[in-house]
Amino acid sequence: MAVDKRTRLVVVGLGMVGIAFIEKLLKLDTRTREYDIVVIGEEPHFAYNRVGLTSFFNHRKVENLYLNPEEWYLLHAPDNKLNYHLNTLVTRIDPASKTVACANGDVVSYDILVLATGSDAVLPKYTPGHDANGVFVYRTIEDLENLIAFGELHKGTIGAVVGGGLLGLEAANAMMDLKCFEKVKLIERNQWVLSRQLDADAGNLVVEKVTSLGLEILLSKRVGRIITDEENNVTGAVFEDGEEMECSTICFAIGVRPRDNLARSAGIKCADRGGGILVDNDLKTSVPDIYAIGECASWQNQTFGLIAPGIEMADVLSFNLTQAKIHRPRVFKRPDLSTKLKLLGVDVASFGDFFADRDGPSSLPAKAARKKTEDQNVVKALIYKDPFAQVYKKYLFTTDGKYLLGGMMIGDTSDYIKLVPMVKNQKELDIPPAQLILGAKKDGDDGANDLDDDTQICSCHNVSKGDIVNSVKDGTCKTVGEVKACTKAGTGCGGCMPLVTSIFTKTMTEMGAEVTNYLCAHFNYSRADLYNIISVKRLKTLPEVMREAGNDKDSDGCEACKPAVASIFASLWNKHVMDKTTHGLQDTNDRFLGNIQRNGTFSVIPRVSAGEITPDKLIVIGEVAKKYNLYTKITGGQRIDMFGAKKQDLLDIWTRLIEAGMESGHAYAKSLRTVKSCVGTTWCRFGVGDSVGMAIRIEERYKSIRSPHKIKGGVSGCVRECAEAQNKDFGLIATEKGFNIFVGGNGGAKPKHSELLAKDVAPAEVVPILDRYLMFYIRTADKLQRTARWLEALPGGLRYLREVVLEDKLGICASLEAQMQELVDSFFDEWAAAVRDPIIAAKFRQFANTRDTLDAVETENDRGQSRPVHWPKTAADEDFKGLRARWSSTAWQPVIEAGYFAGADATPNGVSANIKRGDTQLALWRVRGKYYAAQQMCPHKRSFALSDGLIGQDVAPPSPSPAEDCSPWVSCPYHKRNFDLGSGSCRNDPDLSVATFDAEDRLDGWVYVKLPPVAELDAALGTGRWMVRKGDAGASQFEELDRKIAVKGRRGRRMEVGAVVMGRGGEVSGGGGGGCGAAPDW
């Protein structure tokens, strides 16, 4: 359409509904280009996710909440498709001249005006003290920033939230997350919380659950006045019953009021009671060419404070403005007010006509309505209560049980997505009502298979199952991330992501395009999918992850999924890997913050950023290595590695290194290992860039950040490439204009050259690009997938990666940078934290029941240093599990106090101990209330380490037999041989087994193990019996070579220095061989 004929459409309000309308209009208007859009927003921010407002307290970055980054607006700016005004208040509408006037003096003309002004939080101005310092509302970014700033100045005081609805519980959660207030109290005038969504039983269950999380709730209380001091600061509140409460902060979350003042002043009709701009089914107001949508609109004298009805209004209006010429216009119908949320960790949902039993049904299916009589109660409730699991469900049916009208659920909302369409479609049920509550799902059924295409999956953005399926089938979306970007599903509250992922996966499978990359039998999700679920739902423990995404909700997982979940936790929340809730998830090296070596000792590698180190630090490293007889070696990443540190010595070694100004190098972790550098312009005459300076800055930025696999970097000061930056996960090569950035390379078993991502990048721009690249990798890579393999598997490869991190194709660059900054800001030294924490420090002992120590592998002197002898040539393939039947006698023996295992049942791996009994080492566990005991030695390589292995469990069958053996297994931390703790059999190597023993705790406070006599035990399992000795590995692999070259120490043969003789032609010759560059005469 010609520019002069386009319709100018002005939107007042840039909130979630306003931007949803604009997005939909732009999409629908792509071909015809009828409209030039101008949006005027009062706040200084672009449209942000108000549903996720609470997360602002964690990251403090409004950009993380943006529904679209600034680049998106600029992308649509050409040709006047979209113009925007931020921080601009519209003060007047003139319908006669079709203009709106702004507070800054601007006057904007319109052909069509859409009001999406939203609502204001209610502040009870009739309450004395409502204007005091310390009184807040919970509505906008500015409200939150003010609350945060105030909280920082009033740490240790009491904070209060007035209002027990959805917004009130969100506000209370936010104030608790602030960690400024000693106590947070919630005041509700009704007898239970969420009284608009739940009945008394359900509401009181929510009270019970959130109270257990630390929130104090005061019910049936109304604030009469706010107590202030002489400077008008809040000091407390007086309730209408006369009771007083001390507090410094009061946040009102008692509802919202439609912002209709602008419309009223323009003569547009508004609702007298409750407010709101009156609209008809087309969303037209009383004035031609003016529409209203969202919370400011009153439809049939109702306003809606939820996002979903506003999105539906945006759908209807955008459709009618663009498609009504060729399609029948849509009308706005009674919206679905179903709600599913997680509030303070509690799953809450209400759907359909959830108060039909109290207020009577708002409507009935046609067949049920015909059966209705005047004196007949047309609604019956089916209620399910589980006080142990704290689950409550109430479903409302017509009296004949044929139609579901609505309901509510607490604790378990897994059936919500199925029940909502049943109510909306008003289909007659073909199953008994009880089956909706008690009926068991099919094994592995996630609820997506039997949903109709018109089933709403994302209520925030009104995305149906069909929308998701079609976006995949037409080739638009090939990843879950693309589905989110294309359909907006999962970009609101995020609660629909598991189902979105399931629908995507199923559709890809049906198309023959799916490659299953599930973590293990416990999860039907890839590592990337699980990362998204954990991130969106903010899961912090393995039980939470299992309940939300696991195939067996009660399982403790296995050696495959536990480390992956631990890695995701570290990548998202960056808590200490040895904390109680996560220590049992850590694999081998992370378990004790050092690489475990062949003889059960550990390596210690302090961080040496970019390979630069002072002489003083070198001296300390030498002193430590000498004191503890550690084998030392320079690593390929320009670090100094000290091998042979005993577990019980690690704390003392770390303490000495920390005192000298060093810290953990994270060489044990799937994280940034090193950023290698040449000397660059610091010393090199060829250098064109400061490679050391850049490498130090990069390594210091990304140190400790966990990722799907290890990450290595390199920085070279010129094209001579001495740092080998082009075979690293990321590498920089200095140019005259900046740095060329290479990505996706690695050495290792399958080496790959890295690829050029960007050229001549200014030094100041290097970090933002690396932030995006690394964070995108962390979010989307599979378990243990290096960046090289990830980039190869990425749809579109390097080209697509450039589009994402350089061109912001997905609109997530700001989010990637912000998330990386959060991780950078959360850095702490794991070694120092372990040294300071007595609970963590107590874990660094060889034996839990004695200070004695035992060596399990002989050492030998090699090139002037001590090292363990080589692995034995064969495994110990004796029938260890058969020992149970061969002992001459057994008796219950106390081995350790039961208090050692305190808290074991609440941790994902239980608690384990290495027990010394005579010369025998025993591994003892408490897992899920039961004790297990076995030999400590893994027979595969005769390594004494089973107590440090990960515990695994099978996925529980749908109907387990009472006689079925469900013993867990332990996975050896060395080579993942899995031994059943009941039978002793090895699950993945039938030639191996371990001895197992009965164990129990008793009233005297000790754990007892049923053991044979010590002499018999030592003869079968003693450390001396199975110690790895020199010669067990056979002849040296260098034996023949050494004989050939007559090796002696470090040199093949000493070159004798003879007299220098001038030969013919002036050549220099002598007993020691040639001159500079000549080869030694072996």
Side-chain angles (χ1 to χ4, degrees):
M1 181 177 286
V3 175
D4 58 344
K5 293 184 179 179
R6 288 183 192 150
T7 300
R8 191 172 213 209
L9 189 148
V10 174
V11 182
V12 179
L14 188 52
M16 292 185 74
V17 174
I19 193 62
F21 168 74
I22 292 169
E23 288 176 342
K24 295 171 189 299
L25 190 72
L26 286 169
K27 183 177 180 179
L28 294 172
D29 191 42
T30 301
R31 291 182 180 274
T32 57
R33 279 294 284 122
E34 290 184 67
Y35 295 98
D36 289 337
I37 304 172
V38 178
V39 60
I40 305 172
E42 181 179 339
E43 292 190 65
H45 312 294
F46 293 102
Y48 55 86
N49 183 3
R50 204 181 298 275
V51 176
L53 204 57
T54 304
S55 66
F56 182 77
F57 284 83
N58 294 322
H59 51 71
R60 312 289 174 89
K61 295 179 177 66
V62 66
E63 293 82 5
N64 286 18
L65 291 173
Y66 280 172
L67 297 170
N68 294 299
E70 182 178 1
E71 291 82 354
W72 180 87
Y73 295 83
L74 298 175
L75 181 66
H76 291 89
D79 199 23
N80 289 319
K81 276 201 297 186
L82 175 63
N83 287 294
Y84 62 87
H85 303 268
L86 300 181
N87 206 20
T88 303
L89 174 66
V90 175
T91 57
R92 184 171 57 86
I93 302 171
D94 186 350
S97 64
K98 285 196 167 184
T99 59
V100 295
C102 305
N104 61 7
D106 289 347
V107 176
V108 181
S109 62
Y110 68 84
D111 297 311
I112 293 176
L113 180 64
V114 178
L115 300 177
T117 50
S119 57
D120 285 324
V122 173
L123 182 65
K125 297 187 177 179
Y126 54 82
T127 302
H130 70 274
D131 57 350
N133 301 322
V135 175
F136 299 91
V137 291
Y138 191 86
R139 186 64 180 167
T140 66
I141 292 293
E142 183 180 7
D143 294 335
L144 270 62
E145 289 174 335
N146 292 337
L147 181 57
I148 290 170
F150 191 87
E152 290 293 330
L153 298 175
H154 294 78
K155 289 187 175 181
T157 61
I158 295 174
V161 176
V162 181
L166 296 172
L167 194 63
L169 286 172
E170 282 288 333
N173 185 32
M175 290 181 71
M176 292 174 70
D177 285 347
L178 264 181
K179 302 190 185 308
C180 293
F181 300 102
E182 179 185 354
K183 190 76 177 176
V184 176
K185 300 182 179 182
L186 184 138
I187 301 133
E188 168 57 27
R189 65 181 181 179
N190 292 303
Q191 296 176 354
W192 64 89
V193 298
L194 299 175
S195 58
R196 291 191 178 185
Q197 289 81 27
L198 304 177
D199 63 13
D201 288 341
N204 284 320
L205 179 58
V206 174
V207 170
E208 182 181 337
K209 290 171 80 78
V210 299
T211 299
S212 68
L213 297 173
L215 177 65
E216 183 176 339
I217 298 181
L218 307 177
L219 299 173
S220 302
K221 294 286 186 183
R222 294 173 180 263
V223 175
R225 65 182 176 88
I226 297 169
I227 307 171
T228 60
D229 60 18
E230 56 274 13
E231 296 178 0
N232 201 31
N233 297 312
V234 172
T235 60
V238 178
F239 300 115
E240 289 184 352
D241 61 5
E243 185 179 346
E244 293 189 11
M245 175 190 70
E246 180 185 348
C247 64
S248 69
T249 311
I250 296 179
C251 181
F252 282 95
I254 56 176
V256 294
R257 180 181 293 112
R259 301 185 67 193
D260 59 8
N261 290 343
L262 188 63
R264 285 182 188 275
S265 63
I268 301 172
K269 290 183 180 179
C270 297
D272 294 327
R273 184 175 179 180
I277 305 166
L278 292 174
V279 296
D280 60 15
N281 292 343
D282 297 325
L283 303 170
K284 295 175 182 174
T285 69
S286 59
V287 175
D289 296 325
I290 299 181
Y291 300 81
I293 56 176
E295 295 177 0
C296 68
S298 175
W299 176 79
Q300 296 186 1
N301 286 311
Q302 297 178 77
T303 55
F304 307 100
L306 299 175
I307 180 64
I311 299 295
E312 177 65 13
M313 290 178 177
D315 264 336
V316 170
L317 184 57
S318 60
F319 181 91
N320 289 346
L321 291 177
T322 57
Q323 311 298 311
K325 294 177 183 178
I326 53 176
H327 291 280
R328 186 174 63 182
R330 291 175 55 184
V331 295
F332 182 72
K333 300 176 181 178
R334 182 174 301 278
D336 178 20
L337 301 181
S338 301
T339 307
K340 177 175 175 284
L341 295 168
K342 184 183 281 287
L343 299 167
L344 285 161
V346 180
D347 289 303
V348 178
S350 58
F351 61 95
D353 201 351
F354 44 83
F355 280 141
D357 59 335
R358 185 191 71 182
D359 303 333
S362 57
S363 64
L364 285 171
K367 189 181 292 187
R370 287 196 295 269
K371 296 179 181 179
K372 181 180 177 183
T373 62
E374 289 296 323
D375 57 352
Q376 184 182 22
N377 184 3
V378 297
V379 178
K380 282 188 178 179
L382 181 61
I383 299 174
Y384 171 82
K385 294 181 182 179
D386 183 349
F388 303 102
Q390 291 189 304
V391 172
Y392 174 88
K393 298 181 181 182
K394 181 167 80 170
Y395 298 167
L396 304 177
F397 301 84
T398 54
T399 51
D400 58 6
K402 296 295 185 182
Y403 296 92
L404 177 65
L405 301 177
M408 55 191 69
M409 48 186 82
I410 308 295
D412 177 12
T413 60
S414 57
D415 288 330
Y416 171 89
I417 201 72
K418 289 184 178 180
L419 300 179
V420 170
M422 288 184 184
V423 175
K424 293 175 70 174
N425 297 334
Q426 296 191 339
K427 292 182 179 179
E428 187 171 331
L429 299 177
D430 55 4
I431 57 173
Q435 196 169 324
L436 291 179
I437 287 183
L438 303 176
K441 294 193 294 186
K442 300 174 185 176
D443 185 31
D445 179 15
D446 55 26
N449 292 346
D450 54 355
L451 299 179
D452 295 331
D453 277 357
D454 59 355
T455 299
Q456 185 186 65
I457 302 301
C458 175
S459 59
C460 291
H461 289 280
N462 193 25
V463 181
S464 70
K465 177 185 175 182
D467 294 332
I468 298 171
V469 170
N470 292 334
S471 73
V472 177
K473 286 187 174 180
D474 65 15
T476 303
C477 302
K478 295 182 175 62
T479 67
V480 173
E482 289 176 348
V483 170
K484 290 176 67 177
C486 176
T487 67
K488 297 294 182 180
T491 60
C493 69
C496 62
M497 272 311 301
L499 200 57
V500 171
T501 302
S502 175
I503 294 169
F504 168 81
T505 302
K506 183 175 183 296
T507 306
M508 293 288 281
T509 302
E510 292 173 346
M511 296 168 60
E514 187 226 8
V515 177
T516 300
N517 54 351
Y518 301 153
L519 282 182
C520 65
H522 294 96
F523 293 99
N524 286 349
Y525 295 105
S526 69
R527 183 258 172 204
D529 293 338
L530 197 60
Y531 177 97
N532 288 328
I533 294 170
I534 293 172
S535 174
V536 169
K537 292 180 174 290
R538 302 193 66 77
L539 308 178
K540 303 290 180 67
T541 66
L542 181 65
E544 290 177 350
V545 176
M546 282 295 181
R547 285 195 295 271
E548 292 288 344
N551 293 330
D552 179 355
K553 308 300 182 186
D554 296 322
S555 176
D556 280 338
C558 66
E559 78 283 358
C561 61
K562 280 181 176 177
V565 172
S567 173
I568 292 171
F569 285 160
S571 294
L572 284 168
W573 321 127
N574 199 26
K575 303 301 181 184
H576 202 295
V577 296
M578 293 188 72
D579 282 351
K580 187 174 183 179
T581 58
T582 54
H583 190 213
L585 305 177
Q586 307 303 329
D587 199 6
T588 311
N589 298 329
D590 281 298
R591 201 166 175 82
F592 292 102
L593 311 182
N595 292 63
I596 193 168
Q597 304 301 327
R598 286 191 290 110
N599 61 342
T601 61
F602 296 83
S603 63
V604 176
I605 307 180
R607 185 165 300 284
V608 182
S609 293
E612 183 182 77
I613 189 168
T614 64
D616 287 339
K617 290 180 180 178
L618 281 172
I619 290 170
V620 171
I621 289 174
E623 291 172 347
V624 167
K626 189 170 184 178
K627 178 178 179 180
Y628 294 96
N629 193 29
L630 305 181
Y631 174 102
T632 56
K633 184 183 182 299
I634 306 298
T635 73
Q638 300 177 333
R639 306 293 180 268
I640 300 173
D641 200 340
M642 295 174 278
F643 294 86
K646 297 177 180 178
K647 184 193 297 183
Q648 57 268 29
D649 292 333
L650 286 174
L651 294 175
D652 291 337
I653 291 172
W654 295 343
T655 298
R656 182 67 186 95
L657 296 173
I658 292 166
E659 288 171 349
M662 286 175 271
E663 64 189 23
S664 167
H666 287 88
Y668 48 84
K670 301 301 183 190
S671 64
L672 178 74
R673 296 288 179 85
T674 66
V675 181
K676 188 175 181 180
S677 75
C678 65
V679 293
T681 55
T682 309
W683 288 99
C684 181
R685 69 185 188 277
F686 298 113
V688 297
D690 183 0
S691 52
V692 179
M694 178 59 82
I696 287 174
R697 286 165 173 80
I698 293 173
E699 183 162 347
E700 288 294 309
R701 180 169 182 79
Y702 301 125
K703 63 183 182 184
S704 88
I705 292 174
R706 293 315 204 274
S707 53
H709 210 298
K710 61 187 175 185
I711 301 172
K712 296 183 179 182
V715 183
S716 288
C718 70
V719 293
R720 287 171 175 80
E721 244 284 72
C722 296
E724 301 165 332
Q726 291 180 85
N727 71 346
K728 301 292 191 291
D729 296 283
F730 65 85
L732 308 179
I733 299 178
T735 70
E736 294 293 342
K737 297 180 180 179
F739 289 91
N740 288 345
I741 301 179
F742 295 83
V743 296
N746 63 251
K750 193 175 180 182
K752 180 180 180 294
H753 217 58
S754 54
E755 300 181 61
L756 180 63
L757 177 68
K759 291 183 63 176
D760 296 327
V761 178
E765 297 302 317
V766 166
V767 165
I769 292 175
L770 290 181
D771 279 358
R772 300 171 201 161
Y773 160 67
L774 291 174
M775 203 68 242
F776 190 49
Y777 163 65
I778 290 171
R779 285 185 182 183
T780 60
D782 275 340
K783 179 185 70 170
L784 298 179
Q785 188 178 43
R786 288 293 297 269
T787 58
R789 306 287 86 78
W790 167 73
L791 185 55
E792 288 173 352
L794 204 62
L798 183 66
R799 178 186 55 79
Y800 178 70
L801 182 64
R802 285 191 182 121
E803 291 174 344
V804 173
V805 303
L806 301 181
E807 302 166 19
D808 203 10
K809 177 180 180 177
L810 301 181
I812 60 172
C813 281
S815 171
L816 295 171
E817 290 180 41
Q819 188 175 358
M820 179 59 78
Q821 189 60 51
E822 284 185 60
L823 288 174
V824 170
D825 292 341
S826 67
F827 168 78
F828 62 93
D829 178 19
E830 290 179 339
W831 284 355
V835 168
R836 290 192 302 264
D837 190 327
I839 296 176
I840 294 178
K843 298 175 182 178
F844 289 87
R845 295 172 57 180
Q846 184 178 13
F847 298 111
N849 65 331
T850 178
R851 293 287 181 181
D852 294 348
T853 61
L854 287 175
D855 291 330
V857 179
E858 283 187 347
T859 59
E860 62 179 326
N861 191 278
D862 198 358
R863 297 179 295 276
Q865 299 196 83
S866 176
R867 67 162 180 81
V869 298
H870 294 295
W871 287 119
K873 203 167 188 177
T874 58
D877 55 0
E878 293 195 13
D879 179 22
F880 290 107
K881 69 177 180 180
L883 285 172
R884 181 184 282 264
R886 298 199 301 270
W887 300 123
S888 63
S889 64
T890 57
W892 289 99
Q893 301 292 332
V895 295
I896 190 172
E897 292 186 32
Y900 176 88
F901 298 93
D905 299 343
T907 59
N909 212 55
V911 170
S912 63
N914 185 12
I915 302 295
K916 182 177 182 290
R917 183 75 173 174
D919 188 48
T920 299
Q921 300 185 45
L922 301 173
L924 182 60
W925 295 266
R926 180 181 170 101
V927 181
R928 291 184 167 239
K930 188 174 180 180
Y931 288 94
Y932 300 90
Q935 67 190 57
Q936 173 75 338
M937 181 189 71
C938 172
H940 177 234
K941 294 294 184 183
R942 287 158 47 188
S943 55
F944 291 76
L946 289 186
S947 64
D948 291 335
L950 287 170
I951 296 295
Q953 288 180 307
D954 288 316
V955 176
S959 301
S961 168
E964 196 169 349
D965 184 8
C966 296
S967 296
W969 70 80
V970 62
S971 185
C972 176
Y974 281 89
H975 301 107
K976 304 305 178 191
R977 295 304 193 273
N978 296 343
F979 297 97
D980 189 291
L981 293 181
S983 67
S985 300
C986 183
R987 289 168 167 248
N988 47 9
D989 191 337
D991 294 332
L992 303 180
S993 67
V994 295
T996 59
F997 307 89
D998 295 330
E1000 64 183 26
D1001 58 4
R1002 295 188 177 178
L1003 295 177
D1004 62 0
W1006 283 77
V1007 177
Y1008 285 70
V1009 180
K1010 200 171 186 180
L1011 297 170
V1014 171
E1016 189 176 357
L1017 183 68
D1018 286 348
L1021 298 174
T1023 305
R1025 164 80 171 82
W1026 293 106
M1027 172 184 277
V1028 179
R1029 304 180 188 278
K1030 188 172 183 179
D1032 288 352
S1036 167
Q1037 61 180 316
F1038 297 124
E1039 185 174 346
E1040 187 174 349
L1041 175 63
D1042 291 347
R1043 188 167 51 250
K1044 284 183 177 180
I1045 64 175
V1047 69
K1048 294 179 181 178
R1050 289 183 172 273
R1051 306 173 75 167
R1053 179 163 57 85
R1054 183 176 179 183
M1055 294 184 292
E1056 296 183 11
V1057 180
V1060 177
V1061 180
M1062 184 69 72
R1064 282 185 188 174
E1067 299 101 334
V1068 179
S1069 63
C1076 180
D1081 181 15
W1082 293 107

